[in-house]
Structure formats: structure tokens, C-alpha cells
Amino acid sequence: MRKLFCLLGVLLFGSTAAMAATTFTVQPNSVVAGIAINVPANAKLLTVTANGGTAGKIRLFVRPDQDFSVQSSLMNQASYYSINSSGSIALSIGDYGTPALHGGNWYVALANTDSAPATISLDSVTSTSNAPNTPFIINFSAASTALEDIWGGADKLECDVTPWADATPLGSSTVGAFRKQLLQAAADKLSSQIHSPVPVRIQACWKDFDDSGEHAGSYTLAAATGIYSFYNSPGLPNQNMWYAQAPSARLGGTRACSLDASIDCSIPDIIVWFNKADVAKESYDDATDEPLIISVTMHEITHGLGFLSSMTISNPDKCSDTPPPTGTDCNQIGNFWNDRNDAYTANVAYLKADPAHPLSTRTVVPMADLSKDDRKAAITSNKYLVWNDPLLAQSDDNILRNNTAPSNLVELHAPGTIQPGSTLSHLGPVHVGQLMTAVIQGNYPDTLGMAEPMLERVGWNTGPATHIVDAGPPLTGNWYDPAHSGHGIDFEKIVDDPAGDQYAVIFYSYDGSAQAEYFYAGGRLRDGRFEDPATAGQPAPMGRPVYDPVNHKATYPGAHGTLGIDFSAAAANDPACAGNTQTTKAVLSWSMDGESGKWCISPLANPDKRPDAATDLTGLWNAGSSDSGWGMSILETREDSGLRLNPLLLFYYGTDNQPHWAQADVVNYQPVQTVNLYRIQGYCRTCSKQPTTHDVIGTLTLNLGNPENTETPSGNNRMSININGGGTLKFQRTNVPVRTYSLPLGQ
């Protein structure tokens, strides 16, 4: 998925190993799979090339660890892919992508969508060095028709290229050649500081700038922007976040037009405009201004590399009027495009004052977690809009590094009056001498400085993105969304698997009549995400179980929907999590029966309160395969009152063989203790939050010791259930042995 990005930012390989080129004939509308590339453990870059076939008709798919199934969608299975939109394919996968390149087998599939056979030459090279510093490619000629069409024609695009051909003598060369030299020098300095096997393509233009209005008193030398922005694209650390075109292509390992066939290959990654007003022209004609122009050009290209927020900050001059002019939508300030954060703004935070202690206490709050009103306050707060990176705060380049945290965080440009194209997308004025401040301050830096680690956060990291993807597995147990309390999930690990640990999820909820029901989903955990066990990148199938009383097990008459969970650290920046103040967050996406939702969930209990793993009763319990299809979910915590089992959820079937659930709250657990079971009356999944009611429908007696994960219960753990709730809610078991279906904590 991609979108047009129309915001402006104003102002040698090491050792390599190659696979012998292999030729494949791919029949019309057919697939060739079963191709494995063995990647050394120390490899940092894998480049796969495919030549041959009709342009736009050959697809290359790559995934680690597991071969492709030709019976399923290759796109859904692939971790990386490329289309031969420009006639050939060069797909580069680095240890900076997601999933990161690692040792072992990486599998390749080729698809031919043409009506004629295709002869494809497939080759691969691995390198133990970081991605190369590939030179930027600059187009000084007329912009492509496709680029003009994006802006609505040549008159709207305003891309004058005649100044690049100015033949006026200048020294031993010409004015036009001198101007090209300056732009190329700036691009070369930048390309030497970032690592990309995919070259960045720049369209160089001139136009007249309007320096009136809010820009009065200043002079614009240049401006730049990326063309498209991507989400849900190969290699991105967060699939639910917008990334600029250049880093999206770099992370995906191929050109933008090979990621999305609807993009014309003549479209550049970045467009740069220089001011062609007479006074500006003199600056570009005088060799004494060379350091200034190179610095300004580097600054603008850096915006195109992703140093730019997509958060809406328009109409600032009109919104201060009381009332604002008719037709001015001031409420748009602070919006995210399509309700999705972008990789730059995901790192931006507001040092928000504590109302009780406004002068002394400020809390770091990510922009996505703020209301729109607070976002407006943040971007006009002068010094309280910050780049939320404690590591960068300690940098010697940060003039604020000796301040007490969080006042040592790098400040961003947040003037009292919003300046479109400048507010938010620059360093604050306190950071004198840095390339990405909003105003030229006398020196002309020609290195990225603090912008280099900031660019790492938006897709230019030179190694595994450990600051984005969680290092360890998520906490098992019960999770819930504070905005949908009464609903929730039990997330439990059931199988250790190098290809992705297998987990079970019980989604307990209410139907359209507010009656308790539950669903089951089984899937794998890949790169911090719970998803389809067979198809990477897709949500897991979810079913509503129905009991088979003859065979004593649950059946699933048909797929009921899908369920996916994003546990990665980046999930906290999803717009769904705005307003969730919990420390740990994940994003639950569900779809069933024509309805869908995205909830921000957090653990129901602080992990510090969980007992030792050897005695923790937390998990899914059942009676083994001879009497499966029902069971219970337990979350155990240590409280002042003793061991508490809360919630204890019983999943069972009534006389109608339909799924129901009930809840018990065991405050101070003692063996052979009998407690009440409650039927919960709730509210539908798409309804606003409402109170729930509880009615006693039966009793539960537990005699549990240490957890035991076996196929057949040993009899050391037992339970009795007696539900006489009336109607179809009856269910009974007497002193039956039970075991943990899920793996104990830590396994």
C-alpha cells in the first residue's frame, strides 16, 4: 500500500559469495518454487537478480526458513518481492530489513503472469559488509509525464529545468554546469553517509517561490519532498506505519515501481526545487556561495529521505482568528493521514505538563497518544516538542545532553506560530550548527550530524532494527483493551518451533445480543506478530467452536474470521493506542461476520506479580484429548491477600452444544476451594464501552498444584463444575483430572 506524499520540507563490499547463475523456464501463468539460497551466518546483504521475461510480467518472491507452497498465494507467503517493471529484477535484502537477513536457507519463487513462456536467469550474491553507499541518480532533464500527471500537469508541477542548461560562461565552465556540480556534490556527500543498495533517484527542478504571508521576512532557497509514502510493504519494521518512498524502496530492496506495479518507473524518489527568482540566481552563480548551496541542498534532500512529518498542520494563520474564516477546518491540525502514524512522527513526543505541578513535572507523551488539541499545543510549545530517543539525548552533538531527563531530549522546531513545512520537521533553534535546523545560522554544515541517527529511525538503520522490534517474546496470559473492558484474550504458547513459536488465542467476547461467546485462533509468532501459521504477514484464521458430544471435542463448522496481534514495540505508535496509558501495548486486529476492529490491548496483570514459573497456574487448562473442547483460562498473581486467580474463565458448552463462558474470582486460592461461577452480560464488540452485569449460574471446585503439560492428565490436578443456570447453560464435570494445554511460563 502506498500514498502520494505531497508535503514539503522548506529551507566497497567485503567478502562475497555467489550462487552460480541458473536458468529456469517458467510457463505462462505458472510458478517455479523450491529454489533455495544458503546464506552464511555472517552475511549482511543478499542480492538476488532475475533477468528475462516480459517487463511487468515476472514476479520474484523471497522468504526465509521455509519453502513456498504453490497452492497458496505467493504474495501472502513472501517476506520480500519485486516485479520486473523496468525489465529486470535486482532484489537486495539486508540485516536492516524486517525480517532481517540471517544465516540459513532463503527460498525463492518465480511467477510468470505472461501468456508466453519466460526464460529467467537467476543469480545471487551475499556480502559480509554493510550495504554499499550507492551514488544518488539525478535527473536534470524535464520531469517525466507520469510525475507531471501526479501534480496535475506541467503547469501545476512547476518543474523548470532550463537553468541547468544555462550556457553563460563561469570560469572554465558554465553557470548551468556549475549548478549541476553543486547539486551532485551535495548528493554525493549524503550518499556517503547512508547505506543503500537501491539508488535514490532525484528530480531536479526550479520554480518561483512565494515568500509572502507567513514566509515574509525570510528567503526560500530550496524545497524538497518525497513522492509516495508506503505502508504494509516488504521490509518495513512496522507494517501499519507510513514510510517515505526512498527508505521504503531501500528496506524492500528494490525500486518503488517494483514494489507497486501501478507506479511508473520514471517517477523519482525525491523532487528538489530551487528558487529561480533573480536574487536567488546570483547565489547559484557565485562560487563563493558553494558551501551555502551544498549545505542547503543536503538539508532539502534529507527531508526527502524521510526527515519529514505527515501530520496535518495546515491553516495556522487563519486558525488564530476568532472565529476562523468560513471554510477553514482548523480541527484538521494534528490529524494523521488515513489514521496511520508515520515513521518520523512516531519518534516525536511532547513534554506535557502535569496539571498538578505545571512548573516542575513534565511527562514524555508520544504524539500518537495525544488528543488533537494537545498535538496543536505541542507543535506551538517552543521547547517541549522533542525527539523521543534517550540514546541520542546522550550524544556529544546534543547541546542539551547535560540537562536532567527528559529535558535532555533533542528539541524539535515548535515556534509559537505554526510555520507549514518548517514546524515539527526540523531541529529546534537551540541546536546551532546542525544540518536540519529550520534556519541557516551562519555556518554551513555538510554532514548529517544528529540527523544521521534520526534517519536510522525512519528506515536508514545500518543493522537490525532492534530499537523498533522487541527483543523477546510477548508476555503470555490475559490481555484486554481498556476501551472494551469485559472483552479480552488469553494468549498462550503451545509449541516451541524454530520456524515461529506456535500460540493459541481464546478471544472471549459477546454477540450482538450481548451474550457471552468465544472464539479460537492458532498461529505463529513471527517478528513480534501473531499471524497465520502457514502464511507470513496474514492474520490467523479464527473459528467459533461447536461441541461434538459423540466424540467429546470441539468442531469448527467453518472459518468465522481472522485475528492478528502486533506485539512489536512499534505497535504502541499505532493510532489505535491513542489514549491507552498502559506501559505495555499491542494491537489486536479482528474480523468476523462482516465486522472488524482494531483494539489496543495491554496485559491484565503486571508481570512483576506473576509467581515463579514452576508454580504459576497461569495458562489454558483442559481434560486432555479424551474430553477436549472445554477448559479454563487462569491468570495467577501474588497479592497481599495471597494467590489470586483473576480472571478464571471457564469455556464450556451448554446443552445446545454452543460456546459459552463464565467467570470466577478466586481472591485467596486454597486447594479444594469452591467458588461461584458468574454468567456475564456484556455489550457487542462494535458498541461503545458499557457496564457489565454478573449473575451466579453455578459453582467451581479446584484442587490444583503445580502446572503439568502432558497429553493425558496424571490426576494430580482436578476440578469439579456444576452449572445449573437454566435453559441451555447446564454443564457438569465431577472431580475430573486436568492439565495445562499451554506451555508453562518460561518454556
Side-chain angles (χ1 to χ4, degrees), residues 349 351 364 386-390 393 398 400 405-411 431:
L351 300 185
V364 181
V386 297
W387 187 258
N388 190 15
D389 183 353
N398 178 22
L400 306 173
S407 297
N408 64 338
L409 291 171
V410 170
E411 291 180 7
H431 299 293

Side-chain angles (χ1 to χ4, degrees), residues 275-500:
N275 197 338
K276 65 178 183 178
D278 288 343
V279 63
K281 206 177 290 185
E282 295 178 7
S283 297
Y284 288 93
D285 297 351
D286 188 346
T288 60
D289 285 332
E290 182 172 337
L292 165 65
I293 304 307
I294 289 177
S295 183
V296 168
T297 304
M298 289 179 65
H299 174 110
E300 296 305 331
I301 295 175
T302 300
H303 282 307
L305 293 175
F307 199 104
L308 191 65
S309 171
S310 65
M311 196 181 80
T312 304
I313 54 173
S314 59
N315 299 323
D317 51 332
K318 300 176 182 177
C319 290
S320 60
D321 297 345
T322 307
T326 302
T328 301
D329 190 357
C330 301
N331 289 327
Q332 291 301 308
I333 297 176
N335 271 6
F336 289 111
W337 194 86
N338 201 28
D339 292 326
R340 293 178 186 271
N341 207 347
D342 64 85
Y344 178 90
T345 316
N347 295 283
V348 178
Y350 178 35
L351 300 185
K352 187 177 180 181
D354 181 344
H357 308 280
L359 299 180
S360 60
T361 304
R362 287 188 174 266
T363 303
V364 181
V365 184
M367 290 293 282
D369 290 351
L370 295 171
S371 66
K372 283 200 297 182
D373 287 341
D374 279 342
R375 291 175 196 165
K376 295 178 191 178
I379 61 178
T380 56
S381 64
N382 291 305
K383 62 180 296 183
Y384 297 117
L385 186 70
V386 297
W387 187 258
N388 190 15
D389 183 353
L391 187 61
L392 180 59
Q394 301 171 30
S395 168
D396 289 341
D397 289 336
N398 178 22
I399 197 171
L400 306 173
R401 62 186 176 278
N402 293 324
N403 290 353
T404 302
S407 297
N408 64 338
L409 291 171
V410 170
E411 291 180 7
L412 299 177
H413 191 46
T417 300
I418 296 175
Q419 299 172 358
S422 183
T423 289
L424 179 59
S425 295
H426 289 91
L427 293 172
V430 69
H431 299 293
V432 177
Q434 288 293 317
L435 179 69
M436 296 309 294
T437 54
V439 178
I440 297 172
Q441 301 182 34
N443 68 314
Y444 309 129
D446 62 355
T447 62
L448 284 167
M450 288 196 298
E452 184 170 11
M454 295 172 75
L455 284 177
E456 289 187 8
R457 293 294 189 98
V458 302
W460 297 100
N461 47 300
T462 56
T466 54
H467 60 283
I468 297 173
V469 179
D470 289 325
L475 182 70
T476 55
N478 295 80
W479 293 63
Y480 81 112
D481 180 0
H484 298 87
S485 57
H487 307 252
I489 65 166
D490 188 3
F491 173 76
E492 300 290 349
K493 184 176 178 181
I494 56 174
V495 178
D496 272 312
D497 191 337

Side-chain angles (χ1 to χ4, degrees), residues 553 652 689:
K553 65 179 184 180
Y652 70 99
K689 183 177 178 180

Side-chain angles (χ1 to χ4, degrees), residues 147 196 227 269 325 357 372 444 447 551 554 568 592 616 691 731:
L147 185 56
S196 177
I227 310 301
D269 301 297
H357 308 280
K372 283 200 297 182
Y444 309 129
T447 62
N551 295 301
S568 71
M592 67 181 80
D616 192 354
F731 183 81

Side-chain angles (χ1 to χ4, degrees), residues 133-387:
N133 299 316
T134 307
F136 291 6
I137 297 174
I138 305 173
N139 180 26
F140 294 103
S141 302
S144 71
T145 303
L147 185 56
E148 291 178 355
D149 290 343
I150 289 174
W151 261 267
D155 57 329
K156 297 291 181 63
L157 174 59
E158 294 187 76
C159 182
D160 185 357
V161 296
T162 56
W164 301 120
D166 191 327
T168 304
L170 181 65
S172 61
S173 185
T174 65
V175 168
F178 176 69
R179 292 168 175 164
K180 289 182 180 180
Q181 172 190 321
L182 294 182
L183 176 49
Q184 190 67 60
D188 289 345
K189 286 180 179 290
L190 276 178
S191 67
S192 69
Q193 297 176 62
I194 63 174
H195 295 267
S196 177
V198 180
V200 175
R201 291 168 167 80
I202 300 173
Q203 171 68 49
C205 298
W206 293 75
K207 73 172 183 176
D208 286 313
F209 283 87
D210 181 6
D211 286 315
S212 61
E214 67 266 18
H215 298 295
S218 62
Y219 191 75
T220 302
L221 289 173
T225 186
I227 310 301
Y228 288 106
S229 193
F230 288 73
Y231 79 90
N232 194 25
S233 190
L236 299 184
N238 188 330
Q239 294 290 305
N240 293 307
M241 186 176 292
W242 292 111
Y243 288 78
Q245 179 173 324
S248 295
R250 184 250 191 181
L251 290 167
T254 190
R255 295 186 58 182
C257 63
S258 292
L259 290 172
D260 187 330
S262 68
I263 297 178
D264 193 291
C265 285
S266 66
I267 297 293
D269 301 297
I270 301 170
I271 183 168
V272 179
W273 292 271
F274 297 92
N275 197 338
K276 65 178 183 178
D278 288 343
V279 63
K281 206 177 290 185
E282 295 178 7
S283 297
Y284 288 93
D285 297 351
D286 188 346
T288 60
D289 285 332
E290 182 172 337
L292 165 65
I293 304 307
I294 289 177
S295 183
V296 168
T297 304
M298 289 179 65
H299 174 110
E300 296 305 331
I301 295 175
T302 300
H303 282 307
L305 293 175
F307 199 104
L308 191 65
S309 171
S310 65
M311 196 181 80
T312 304
I313 54 173
S314 59
N315 299 323
D317 51 332
K318 300 176 182 177
C319 290
S320 60
D321 297 345
T322 307
T326 302
T328 301
D329 190 357
C330 301
N331 289 327
Q332 291 301 308
I333 297 176
N335 271 6
F336 289 111
W337 194 86
N338 201 28
D339 292 326
R340 293 178 186 271
N341 207 347
D342 64 85
Y344 178 90
T345 316
N347 295 283
V348 178
Y350 178 35
L351 300 185
K352 187 177 180 181
D354 181 344
H357 308 280
L359 299 180
S360 60
T361 304
R362 287 188 174 266
T363 303
V364 181
V365 184
M367 290 293 282
D369 290 351
L370 295 171
S371 66
K372 283 200 297 182
D373 287 341
D374 279 342
R375 291 175 196 165
K376 295 178 191 178
I379 61 178
T380 56
S381 64
N382 291 305
K383 62 180 296 183
Y384 297 117
L385 186 70
V386 297
W387 187 258

